[in-house]
Amino acid sequence: MTQVQQKKIGRFTIDYEVGAGGLGKVFKGVDSNTGKEVAIKILHEQYQMNRRFLGIFHRELLTVSGLKHKHIVQYIEANYEPPNCYIVTEFVDGWPLNRLIKHYKKIPPMVALSIAIDMLQGIDYLHLHDTIHSDLSSPNVLISKKGKVLLTDFGLACNNEVENYRNYMVGTPGFYSPEHITEASMRPASDIYCVGLLLFEMLTGEKAVVASKKQDEVLKSMKNIDFKKITSDDRRIQSGLRSICKKALRFRTTFRYKHAEKMIFDIYKLLKKYDIRYSRHAIH
């Protein structure tokens, strides 16, 4: 984490930078009114007067301000007036999923499945509210020290009913769905594909699809995912894990899980065989 000179933005005191993305930097801060820790996403300085990026930032603001779910970071407030465009959400005391994978290499199957269930519950809520996340990647999944899983970064979120990003290659390399890089429209099944990618990576320590921006290379990788890399000493677990990942990672949406709740149901069935009924217990 990079220390920065302490300063204020609005009523919030900035402590230090915790991450950065294409649209802005995220800082840990404190709400001077409540004393609570917060996360402050500040639009990159070079975009503060750029109408295109202001539009993207405003869309994220509108999306996150309307969401309220236990597996989605809680919105607090925002400012949309340059040169101080920022969004404030709850601060998650924990780690992004990519850091956990980097540290542990592989995450135990029951823990990985439990994390996936919590992600899918957040995704199901989004889809029921006609919203597609569109950028589900391991840095955008946060795990608190208490085992709570939260989705964050809605900069690319779009409406179910609009053909957003068609013919555009958006998202994060290594976490594209086929719809991210082809002429197809983004849809709920696109988010489910990305959950499949995350589950595969948690189980194997490797990406299922190459992290490239070259369309031909990515498409070839998508059609040649090696599910044999998903292994377990227990053959029943191994078979169940492969089956779930295969269905989530079908290239054609026709054969993929169409709804998050269907994937949740299959994961629950596997967890219950091992008497795990509360996902938070497995994660924590």
Side-chain angles (χ1 to χ4, degrees), residues 1-280:
M1 293 182 290
T2 305
Q3 290 291 139
V4 296
Q5 186 175 4
Q6 193 176 67
K7 61 178 183 178
K8 294 198 74 172
I9 186 165
R11 71 172 195 264
F12 305 96
T13 300
I14 294 175
D15 287 345
Y16 54 80
E17 181 182 330
V18 294
L23 203 58
K25 292 183 178 181
V26 180
F27 299 87
K28 176 185 173 294
V30 176
D31 185 333
S32 60
N33 286 358
T34 65
K36 289 184 177 180
E37 295 179 330
V38 295
I40 308 165
K41 181 174 183 177
I42 302 176
L43 185 65
H44 285 312
E45 187 176 351
Q46 66 266 34
Y47 299 150
Q48 291 275 355
M49 304 303 293
N50 184 303
R51 292 178 65 181
R52 180 188 171 208
F53 287 100
L54 282 172
I56 295 171
F57 195 73
H58 189 232
R59 185 175 62 194
E60 179 176 4
L61 187 163
L62 292 175
T63 299
V64 73
S65 64
L67 302 174
K68 190 173 179 62
H69 188 269
K70 63 181 178 179
H71 294 302
I72 293 174
V73 291
Q74 182 61 52
Y75 168 83
I76 296 174
E77 75 164 51
N79 182 67
Y80 182 58
E81 295 296 327
N84 287 312
C85 296
Y86 61 86
I87 298 173
V88 183
T89 62
E90 66 176 304
F91 178 76
V92 180
D93 186 15
W95 311 268
L97 183 57
N98 61 318
R99 289 190 191 172
L100 288 183
I101 294 172
K102 184 176 181 180
H103 180 78
Y104 292 106
K105 310 302 181 188
K106 294 182 182 181
I107 293 177
M110 297 299 108
V111 178
L113 288 174
S114 297
I115 291 172
I117 277 184
D118 288 356
M119 282 192 286
L120 286 162
Q121 288 179 348
I123 290 302
D124 190 47
Y125 170 86
L126 289 177
H127 294 169
L128 288 172
H129 287 75
D130 298 322
T131 301
I132 301 167
H133 189 287
S134 304
D135 193 19
L136 275 177
S137 60
S138 52
N140 291 341
V141 178
L142 306 177
I143 318 290
S144 78
K145 290 180 179 178
K146 294 183 178 179
K148 188 175 181 180
V149 178
L150 296 110
L151 306 180
T152 188
D153 199 338
F154 294 88
L156 292 178
C158 60
N159 190 290
N160 281 2
E161 299 175 358
V162 181
E163 293 187 350
N164 287 282
Y165 307 129
R166 189 168 183 171
N167 295 318
Y168 288 92
M169 201 167 178
V170 300
T172 303
F175 300 99
Y176 295 134
S177 73
E179 297 77 57
H180 278 84
I181 59 170
T182 63
E183 294 182 358
S185 304
M186 297 295 289
R187 58 194 70 187
S190 307
D191 280 344
I192 291 170
Y193 189 96
C194 294
V195 173
L197 293 174
L198 289 166
L199 181 56
F200 185 100
E201 187 173 358
M202 285 191 282
L203 294 169
T204 67
E206 300 178 29
K207 284 184 168 51
V209 174
V210 63
S212 170
K213 289 187 177 181
K214 296 179 180 178
Q215 186 183 47
D216 291 346
E217 191 175 351
V218 177
L219 287 172
K220 182 180 179 181
S221 181
M222 285 176 169
K223 294 176 180 178
N224 292 281
I225 296 173
D226 186 3
F227 293 100
K228 290 182 180 179
K229 289 183 177 181
I230 299 173
T231 60
S232 172
D233 293 335
D234 188 318
R235 290 298 177 90
R236 291 181 303 164
I237 294 179
Q238 178 175 284
S239 176
L241 294 172
R242 288 181 180 178
S243 176
I244 290 167
C245 283
K246 282 180 181 179
K247 191 163 184 180
L249 293 172
R250 292 284 191 182
F251 187 83
R252 293 178 60 185
T253 56
T254 309
F255 304 110
R256 204 181 301 162
Y257 286 110
K258 291 180 177 59
H259 305 288
E261 63 180 8
K262 292 185 180 294
M263 188 172 176
I264 290 172
F265 180 74
D266 281 356
I267 294 175
Y268 264 134
K269 283 198 300 184
L270 191 54
L271 288 173
K272 284 181 180 178
K273 287 181 181 178
Y274 298 89
D275 203 32
I276 296 175
R277 298 178 183 275
Y278 301 99
S279 57
R280 183 79 64 83

